[in-house]
Amino acid sequence: MEPVNAPPFILFRGLLLYAVFITTLESSTVSRSAYFTTLTNKQLKGFVVKRFESPGQIWCSQSCLKNAWCTSTNFKLAPQTSKSDGKGTCELNKHDESAVKENIHLQFEEGATFSMPLKGCQITDSCKNGGACVYDKEKQTYSCNCKPPWTGETCAELVTCDSHPCKNNATCTDGVNGYNCSCAPGFHGTQCEKIEGLSCSSAYRIVFEQLTTESYAIKAHAISSSLTEFTVCLFVKWKDTNSNSYQCVYSYAEASGYVVGNAIYVCLNTPNIEINVDNDGNSGNDTGVKINDTMWHHICVTWRSTNGAWQCYLDGRLRSYGTGLKENHQIPAGGTVVIGQGQDTVGGGFHISDSFGPGEVTEVNLWSRVLSASDIAAQYANCHITKVGLMEWWEQFKDGVSGVTVVEP
């Protein structure tokens, strides 16, 4: 089919919005239309796929609609061309949403116009009942993200118990304004989708089925530079509070310490949470903080070489602190971290009396600095894992598991 000239456009133009309707495309009889939002004297740099001379800005936008991959356009009038004439250079761009949202690629360009087609619910503002219009990367369009108990394209349909909306063995009851979930112990949320005490429900979890020296996660060469301060944080669910094991959930060992073995460890049951730095054969530092139930808890311990200052946080709150723990000491780099075991040798020397289990852990992270109280509170409340100073992070342990079950979210 030969190219067909576009018929007259119906044009709505305000300060930053216009609409383009195309009824016939080259080699196609498909009808397409879009609203475009525009920014004057702006040009998107670094994403141009196609550049050509165009009879005008509307034709430039038309060309974008003809190409499914096109996500925006740059148009600039030719030199010494009047706006009424309209001829200029058209650039068709291809990029994801972040290129525009981050606003670092949009640059000032005198006489240029940046245009981007609006998609889905962006055009109609159709999300009802508190629904949000969000970008869908897979579909490359915008759609409504509905709040329970609403569903449907515009969040106008009520969800009922027939669709089994309640999670984690909750009981569902239909009502006038939608359904209601009665959560099983240990869960909360509108759909009982949240685990009590575990804000990081989107992270994978490691399950230790029983007390054994064969269950652990390991990461060699875990610390790249020596430490004069640190923070270790983790979420843990301990299933046997009557255990006689020390329940060591975290240990870091390297070969140059007082003894070859733990340079850092965090154990739950000695009989309280205990931390130690460069174990010299004596017992660790008893924090006086204890876990007495089988629910999820968030633990953070910090240490600073100056004065040997240490802190212990439980569930986002500072519960214990002190000084004198290995003052003016440096923790050497290059050692091995093991989750679920203490180490009497680097990467080994496990004893059942130190082993963790049965229980679960997730989001075990190490920072090369002492985190602030607000950083720790944000981890506990909404799983905000700050990246500043993060030296060893949870994803690194996934390939080093042995004798445990990895549970994906």
Side-chain angles (χ1 to χ4, degrees):
M1 180 179 177
E2 293 296 319
V4 179
N5 291 331
F9 292 104
I10 302 174
L11 177 63
F12 303 97
R13 193 173 186 85
L15 289 176
L16 294 173
L17 184 67
Y18 65 91
V20 176
F21 297 84
I22 301 174
T23 56
T24 308
L25 305 180
E26 296 182 14
S27 304
S28 174
T29 57
V30 176
S31 297
R32 298 181 64 191
S33 64
Y35 282 85
F36 281 76
T37 182
T38 72
L39 295 172
T40 57
N41 296 324
K42 290 285 187 179
Q43 195 169 36
L44 188 69
K45 301 287 188 178
F47 298 91
V48 176
V49 173
K50 187 176 182 181
R51 182 183 291 108
F52 55 91
E53 298 304 310
S54 172
Q57 183 178 344
I58 298 297
W59 288 85
C60 183
S61 299
Q62 174 190 4
S63 298
C64 185
L65 292 182
K66 289 179 181 180
N67 294 277
W69 51 262
C70 180
T71 50
S72 68
T73 67
N74 300 317
F75 179 80
K76 187 174 182 180
L77 288 172
Q80 300 178 340
T81 301
S82 65
K83 288 187 177 180
S84 59
D85 187 9
K87 295 179 181 178
T89 302
C90 176
E91 296 177 338
L92 305 185
N93 304 316
K94 181 182 179 181
H95 52 83
D96 60 22
E97 185 193 24
S98 63
V100 178
K101 266 195 170 183
E102 293 171 1
N103 206 29
I104 58 176
H105 303 287
L106 277 171
Q107 300 179 14
F108 177 82
E109 182 72 26
E110 183 71 35
T113 302
F114 169 75
S115 301
M116 188 169 67
L118 301 178
K119 300 178 180 180
C121 51
Q122 274 189 321
I123 301 172
T124 58
D125 191 24
S126 57
C127 301
K128 305 181 184 302
N129 299 304
C133 186
V134 297
Y135 186 68
D136 187 325
K137 287 185 178 180
E138 290 187 3
K139 297 180 181 178
Q140 294 188 343
T141 188
Y142 285 79
S143 58
C144 294
N145 184 18
C146 304
K147 286 185 175 181
W150 301 97
T151 189
E153 186 174 342
T154 62
C155 305
E157 303 171 23
L158 274 174
V159 177
T160 66
C161 291
D162 290 340
S163 61
H164 307 290
C166 301
K167 305 179 185 303
N168 297 306
N169 297 316
T171 301
C172 185
T173 306
D174 281 321
V176 176
N177 296 316
Y179 65 90
N180 179 68
C181 295
S182 299
C183 301
F187 299 94
H188 68 288
T190 306
Q191 296 175 292
C192 303
E193 74 282 8
K194 298 178 182 179
I195 302 173
E196 291 286 355
L198 180 60
S199 59
C200 293
S201 55
S202 61
Y204 76 92
R205 310 193 310 274
I206 293 178
V207 179
F208 295 76
E209 301 289 355
Q210 58 185 336
L211 189 67
T212 173
T213 58
E214 302 300 318
S215 298
Y216 55 87
I218 190 169
K219 174 71 171 67
H221 308 293
I223 296 179
S224 57
S225 59
S226 60
L227 299 175
T228 56
E229 58 184 89
F230 69 78
T231 301
V232 173
C233 291
L234 55 92
F235 285 87
V236 61
K237 182 178 183 180
W238 180 23
K239 296 183 179 180
D240 183 9
T241 56
N242 294 317
S243 172
N244 293 321
S245 164
Y246 287 164
Q247 298 286 319
C248 295
V249 287
Y250 181 96
S251 66
Y252 170 72
E254 51 78 36
S256 64
Y258 182 87
V259 293
V260 179
N262 297 318
I264 304 171
Y265 73 70
V266 181
C267 302
L268 303 182
N269 188 39
T270 60
N272 303 312
I273 295 174
E274 182 177 275
I275 60 177
N276 206 347
V277 175
D278 196 15
N279 187 351
D280 58 6
N282 297 319
S283 60
N285 198 85
D286 189 338
T287 65
V289 180
K290 187 168 180 62
I291 295 176
N292 292 309
D293 57 43
T294 58
M295 306 295 286
W296 279 98
H297 291 280
H298 182 241
I299 297 172
C300 285
V301 298
T302 76
W303 171 81
R304 181 178 281 127
S305 177
T306 307
N307 298 328
W310 61 268
Q311 301 176 105
C312 179
Y313 288 79
L314 181 65
D315 296 337
R317 292 173 51 198
L318 178 61
R319 303 300 180 98
S320 182
Y321 60 92
T323 58
L325 180 59
K326 279 293 177 178
E327 296 182 41
N328 303 316
H329 178 69
Q330 276 196 352
I331 299 171
T336 296
V337 168
V338 174
I339 297 173
Q341 304 288 340
Q343 302 175 67
D344 284 354
T345 60
V346 178
F350 304 154
H351 293 284
I352 194 71
S353 60
D354 296 331
S355 300
F356 172 74
E360 301 180 39
V361 294
T362 188
E363 280 298 353
V364 182
N365 298 285
L366 170 76
W367 290 262
S368 59
R369 66 186 181 95
V370 173
L371 297 189
S372 67
S374 59
D375 282 336
I376 292 172
Q379 279 188 53
Y380 172 65
N382 54 39
C383 196
H384 177 72
I385 310 296
T386 178
K387 301 298 190 294
V388 180
L390 186 60
M391 181 167 281
E392 156 210 307
W393 52 96
W394 184 230
E395 283 298 322
Q396 294 177 316
F397 292 99
K398 203 169 188 179
D399 295 330
V401 298
S402 177
V404 297
T405 301
V406 175
V407 179
E408 298 291 349

